[in-house]
């Protein structure tokens, strides 16, 4: 089947359902459909305490990151931006590291708040800088974002080195769902109301993508909507960083694929973007579990590989 065939609601829903089933059954301890039907207590303990929480985290993270990407693309008016190419992920890392060392006795929520504040401040700075530069070549925007993110990442690594937590930082910054178990992932559910809010304001984000002048002429408070969108992005990134680590390029690949076949009306395409993001992350996670089974590859590596290739393809298409 062609990509256009799969990027329809019924086909996407069927693919998503199949991936959810595979995610529950595949793992270090494979579970067959017969084992689930037998009501084996050990099997159901694995499913309820590990597989279903992991599935929920994958779906919420994938949907949230894909929506983050499309919101940033509307705000910056550039197809190549997402949290990994605007410095948002790296700023959230720095915020979490500072909270981890300065307030080690506090739990996940204060650390998430610190990551949110740093991510929001970094995103506002990036958006302001890009607007003032007024670059004519769209490819230069993500290049500047990657350079900006590299500077923030270097500062975060230097801070981690100074505080002797470099090894811990590298461990949880690759993006890894193997740590997701019942009681250790619930903060990720904050993405659900963010997804709902994004859909409710989808039409306004579409107008934001037309530019400040057009949005103002249509009666929309452009600065307020931009700030609101960046807050949704920062909250999603912060909850993802605190739960599973950094996962790049989901917000770059999925919105571009959906937009290629269905246009830019977010009120119509946002559900498909969320579904595509969740499905893409499920595919990457299942592949990471199967490649070196019974061990697994961090999902940040698989999404980084696929996302990097797709990023180059998009740049090549744009240059042509």
């Amino acid at each position: 089947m062609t990509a256009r065939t799969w990027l329809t609601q019924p086909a996407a829903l069927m693919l998503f359902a199949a991936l959810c089933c595979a995610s529950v059954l595949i793992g270090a301890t494979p579970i067959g459909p017969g084992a689930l039907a037998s009501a084996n207590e050990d099997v159901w303990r694995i499913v309820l305490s590990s597989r279903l929480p992991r599935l929920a985290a994958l779906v919420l993270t994938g949907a949230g990151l894909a929506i983050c990407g499309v919101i940033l693309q509307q705000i910056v008016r550039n197809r190549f931006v997402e949290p990994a190419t605007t410095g948002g992920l790296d700023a959230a890392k720095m915020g979490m590291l500072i909270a981890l060392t300065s307030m080690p006795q506090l739990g996940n929520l204060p650390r998430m708040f610190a990551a949110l504040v740093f991510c929001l401040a970094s995103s506002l700075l990036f958006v302001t800088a890009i607007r003032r530069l007024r670059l004519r070549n769209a490819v230069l925007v993500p290049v500047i974002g990657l350079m900006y993110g590299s500077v923030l990442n270097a500062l975060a690594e230097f801070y981690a080195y100074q505080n002797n937590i470099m090894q811990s930082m590298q461990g949880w910054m690759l993006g890894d769902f193997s740590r997701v178990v019942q009681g250790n992932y619930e903060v990720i559910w904050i993405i659900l109301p963010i997804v709902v809010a994004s859909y409710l304001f989808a039409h306004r984000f579409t107008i934001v993508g037309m530019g400040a002048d057009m949005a103002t002429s249509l009666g929309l408070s452009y600065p307020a909507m931009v700030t609101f969108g960046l807050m949704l992005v920062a909250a999603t990134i912060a909850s993802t960083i605190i739960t599973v680590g950094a996962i790049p390029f989901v917000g770059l690949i999925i919105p571009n694929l959906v937009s290629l076949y269905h246009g830019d009306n977010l009120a119509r395409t946002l559900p498909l973007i969320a579904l595509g993001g969740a499905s893409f992350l499920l595919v990457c996670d299942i592949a990471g579990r199967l490649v070196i089974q019974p061990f697994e590859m961090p999902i940040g590596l698989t999404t980084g590989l696929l996302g990097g290739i797709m990023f180059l393809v998009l740049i090549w298409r744009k240059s042509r």
Side-chain angles (χ1 to χ4, degrees), residues 61-262:
T61 301
L65 291 178
I67 289 175
C68 279
V70 77
I71 290 175
L72 282 173
Q73 288 163 20
Q74 294 296 313
I75 291 173
V76 183
R77 302 179 69 190
N78 188 288
R79 294 284 185 195
F80 303 127
V81 299
E82 68 112 39
T85 60
T86 58
L89 276 178
D90 301 288
K93 292 179 192 178
M94 185 183 297
M96 184 172 175
L97 285 172
I98 292 174
L100 189 65
T101 54
S102 61
M103 299 176 290
Q105 72 280 5
L106 299 181
N108 282 342
L109 285 178
R111 295 173 190 171
M112 190 187 82
F113 180 74
L116 187 154
V117 170
F118 272 72
C119 183
L120 179 60
S122 170
S123 299
L124 285 169
L125 181 60
F126 177 79
V127 170
T128 303
I130 290 299
R131 284 190 182 150
R132 293 197 174 184
L133 290 174
R134 296 181 180 178
L135 301 171
R136 295 183 179 180
N137 191 339
V139 177
L140 289 177
V141 175
V143 171
I144 291 174
L146 289 170
M147 294 170 61
Y148 177 49
S150 297
V151 172
L152 293 175
N153 185 60
L155 292 173
E157 290 189 356
F158 178 74
Y159 184 84
Y161 178 78
Q162 289 288 94
N163 290 274
N164 200 27
I165 56 172
M166 190 71 180
Q167 188 172 358
S168 298
M169 174 188 171
Q170 296 297 336
W172 51 260
M173 278 303 164
L174 279 175
D176 186 7
F177 284 86
S178 63
R179 300 187 301 269
V180 173
V181 291
Q182 190 175 22
N184 193 37
Y185 82 105
E186 283 74 11
V187 71
I188 203 77
W189 282 98
I190 196 174
I191 294 178
L192 184 58
I194 292 173
V195 170
V196 174
S198 301
Y199 181 75
L200 293 176
F201 288 88
H203 182 64
R204 298 187 184 187
F205 285 127
T206 302
I207 296 175
V208 165
M210 298 177 183
D213 294 337
M214 178 64 73
T216 303
S217 67
L218 293 174
L220 185 69
S221 177
Y222 185 79
M225 279 308 301
V226 168
T227 303
F228 178 64
L230 292 179
M231 286 184 65
L232 294 180
V233 171
T236 302
I237 297 303
S239 61
T240 301
I241 284 283
I242 199 74
T243 307
V244 296
I247 302 176
F249 294 123
V250 178
L252 176 68
I253 297 174
I254 303 303
N256 277 284
L257 285 177
V258 174
S259 175
L260 186 63
Y261 295 106
H262 296 279

